Amino acid sequence: MGCTPESFKKRTKMDEENQLNQTLKPRHLHMIAIGGSIGAGLFVGSGSALSRGGPAALLIDFMIIGVMMFNVVYALGELAVMYPVSGGFYTYSTRFIDPSWGFAMGWNYVFQWAIVLPLELTVASFTVEYWGTTVNVGVWITVFLVAIILINVFGVLGFGEEEFWSSVLKLAAIVIFMIIALVLVLGGGPSNGLYSEYWGARNWYNPGAFANGFKGVCSVFVTAAFAFSGTELVGLAAAESENPARSLPGAVKQVFWRITLFYIISLLFVGLLVRYDDERLLGANPFIDVNASPFVLAAKDAGLIGFDSFMNVVILVSVISIGNSGVYGGSRTLTALAEQGYAPKIFAYIDRSGRPLFSTLFIIAFGFLAYITLDANGPTVFDWLLALSGLAALFTWGSICLAHIRFRAAWKHQGHTIDEIPFQSITGVTGSYIGLAIIFLVLVAQFYIAIFPLGGTPSAEGFFKAYLALPVVLFFWGAGYLWKREGWLRTSQIDIDTGRREVDWDVINAERAKVASWPIWRRWLNLIV
């Protein structure tokens, strides 16, 4: 379990393609896919998005980002089943697009998660204050940081178990909320609350479906993207699963249900129950305020005693889970960078328990930035830290789509057919083009909001807080080119053979023949289950 001094010594013999442990089980991957990234972005961030855009904008934007994520995850699944390498999508950018761009995406992803860790520790500490505790915030930061360190002592198995059980709690909470919300919309709430008579869609008429018009719709996109951040971790975790070729396709299919059930339907109920002009949605805390969660507001207005505390526990578990995901995602990507010569070699060190030791310590060290909160200027510092990683996930997702497009082009160029790909994206290359187009539109919408902010006056500070991630990525891209002197790969230069998984075609063909014999409705169901 990695708890002896001997376990921290360097691993010497293992698969040359992957020194990490392959101990994640299908249940871990499925839960990472279906509930891993559900956190404060959905539970609390949806409140500020509702106030800026209204219930219709909330649904439209989350559905558009959901379509994009569906295509991104399927593209990633196809690549990860073919090339199960540690470091996942960063290595695909290097291999199929441009080594310099891969360098940029790798470091961009590392710093994205390194900055998320102290933010989530801070959020968790403020979430505890909901119960009126007088304990200093710094004490809670220490408690949660120690908890994350202890989880990571157990390596990928610790991460997998923590993600499994926290996802179970999050999904249970959303299912409970949706059942309660349906009853409230139909007027079955307690007599001491607002929803004791038929409620219906009255909030869509008064105050209305949209707040702030087109600009409001544009402003919600980044919140929606933030709420989906971490979805791609299932591809990263595949390298440490027992049998990625079998478990990853099933995990990828779960993303459809998460987008449909746990995001779209729950946010539909949020828009039905909570008015977008409710001042409580704005919150009072510069980091996060559970009182501003529309899930909590709906429970309070319904007169449901104790449900707000239950949701607060769920939010607390969620943010700690996302912080732990930050350590996992950042450390694995940093290790892959080191293995490819894009980072100091010390970060390629993997101990006998399969932990990327120095990479994990490097990411955890960023957790100490959370103590900046204790200073009066803490919120200002965090604003700029967030600006560094605000759009980082969009660049990562766009790179996955582009890598998939380039892989398919090279695959065809070298005389292969689609039938030779063991797991195929449902929407194929078209889906990746759609995903890429949506990401471009979101970046344009964010640029528009950065220049013409909602409810404020344009300023250089506001623009860079909204768009600082772009020059940072371009800086990394330039640095990667100066270091490696390698640029855009021609289709003929792309290597599609090295590290490709050996496939048992007898088993796959038998499975395909079995599926082909099913009725049409069952074949369609098989695509998403």
Side-chain angles (χ1 to χ4, degrees), residues 23-36:
T23 49
L24 285 181
K25 294 177 170 53
R27 67 180 176 90
H28 295 135
L29 275 188
H30 281 235
M31 275 302 176
I32 290 170
I34 199 170

Side-chain angles (χ1 to χ4, degrees), residues 1 94 127 133 152 157 164 176 185 276 280 299 324 342 358 360 363 386 433-434 457 490 496 503 521 523:
M1 297 297 291
T94 301
T127 303
T133 176
N152 279 277
L157 198 56
F164 178 82
I176 291 169
V185 168
Y276 75 69
R280 294 174 297 175
N324 190 47
Y342 284 176
F358 292 108
T360 302
I363 301 298
L386 274 176
Y433 275 115
I434 291 171
T457 55
R490 295 178 181 273
I496 61 170
V503 178
W521 67 268
R523 273 181 276 163

Side-chain angles (χ1 to χ4, degrees), residues 451-502:
I451 296 177
F452 305 107
L454 191 66
T457 55
S459 68
E461 180 182 351
F463 175 81
F464 280 107
K465 281 185 177 178
Y467 234 77
L468 186 59
L470 177 59
V472 170
V473 167
L474 293 177
F475 167 78
F476 279 128
W477 191 7
Y481 182 77
L482 290 174
W483 190 349
K484 293 295 181 181
R485 298 289 179 180
E486 294 178 288
W488 179 267
L489 297 173
R490 295 178 181 273
T491 306
S492 58
Q493 292 178 291
I494 296 175
D495 176 14
I496 61 170
D497 296 315
T498 304
R500 196 165 85 217
R501 185 192 305 278
E502 291 293 328

Side-chain angles (χ1 to χ4, degrees), residues 231-249:
T231 304
E232 72 287 342
L233 278 173
V234 66
L236 203 64
E240 296 180 76
S241 62
E242 292 176 336
N243 188 352
R246 180 174 292 275
S247 57
L248 185 57

Side-chain angles (χ1 to χ4, degrees), residues 442-452 463 467:
V442 172
L443 290 173
V444 170
Q446 179 66 0
F447 188 78
Y448 170 62
I449 293 298
I451 296 177
F452 305 107
F463 175 81
Y467 234 77

Side-chain angles (χ1 to χ4, degrees), residues 8 117 145 149 152-153 327 330-332 334-335 346-347 349 351 355-368:
F8 291 95
L117 176 59
L145 183 58
I149 291 171
N152 279 277
V153 166
V327 176
S331 63
R332 268 57 181 182
L334 182 56
T335 299
I346 190 172
F347 293 121
Y349 183 102
D351 66 22
R355 296 168 298 210
L357 194 59
F358 292 108
S359 295
T360 302
L361 291 174
F362 178 80
I363 301 298
I364 286 176
F366 276 84
F368 291 96

Side-chain angles (χ1 to χ4, degrees), residues 27-267:
R27 67 180 176 90
H28 295 135
L29 275 188
H30 281 235
M31 275 302 176
I32 290 170
I34 199 170
S37 68
I38 295 176
L42 174 64
F43 292 125
V44 183
S46 57
S48 62
L50 177 63
S51 68
R52 293 196 308 273
L58 189 68
L59 269 186
I60 290 169
D61 285 20
F62 269 81
M63 286 174 70
I64 290 173
I65 297 295
V67 169
M68 181 264 290
M69 285 309 310
F70 181 82
N71 289 305
V72 167
V73 174
Y74 264 92
L76 177 59
E78 181 177 312
L79 292 171
V81 169
M82 286 284 284
Y83 305 97
V85 292
S86 174
F89 23 85
Y90 138 69
T91 52
Y92 301 139
S93 295
T94 301
R95 182 170 192 158
F96 300 119
I97 304 174
D98 172 354
S100 302
W101 182 251
F103 175 92
M105 286 300 94
W107 280 106
N108 176 62
Y109 200 68
V110 168
F111 281 108
Q112 173 193 335
W113 283 119
I115 291 167
V116 161
L117 176 59
L119 178 69
E120 298 298 327
L121 289 171
T122 303
V123 167
S125 303
F126 278 116
T127 303
V128 174
E129 291 194 341
Y130 179 81
W131 290 292
T133 176
T134 56
V135 178
N136 188 280
V137 170
V139 174
W140 291 116
I141 290 173
T142 304
V143 169
F144 296 132
L145 183 58
V146 169
I148 286 176
I149 291 171
L150 289 176
I151 290 170
N152 279 277
V153 166
F154 296 101
V156 68
L157 198 56
F159 167 74
E161 286 297 331
E162 184 275 333
E163 282 298 293
F164 178 82
W165 293 108
S166 63
S167 293
V168 167
L169 175 63
K170 287 183 281 187
L171 299 183
I174 294 175
V175 170
I176 291 169
F177 171 79
M178 288 192 294
I179 294 171
I180 291 174
L182 177 61
V183 173
L184 297 180
V185 168
L186 296 176
S191 57
N192 62 327
L194 289 180
Y195 314 110
S196 57
E197 59 181 29
Y198 179 74
W199 189 259
R202 65 182 70 184
N203 287 346
W204 282 63
Y205 298 99
N206 180 27
F210 291 95
N212 302 304
F214 176 71
K215 189 180 285 189
V217 174
C218 290
S219 69
V220 175
F221 271 122
V222 172
T223 303
F226 174 76
F228 280 101
S229 291
T231 304
E232 72 287 342
L233 278 173
V234 66
L236 203 64
E240 296 180 76
S241 62
E242 292 176 336
N243 188 352
R246 180 174 292 275
S247 57
L248 185 57
V252 165
K253 292 176 184 179
Q254 305 303 315
V255 173
F256 170 82
W257 296 108
R258 184 176 71 183
I259 293 170
T260 305
L261 291 178
F262 302 116
Y263 279 89
I264 306 304
I265 295 179
S266 64
L267 291 176

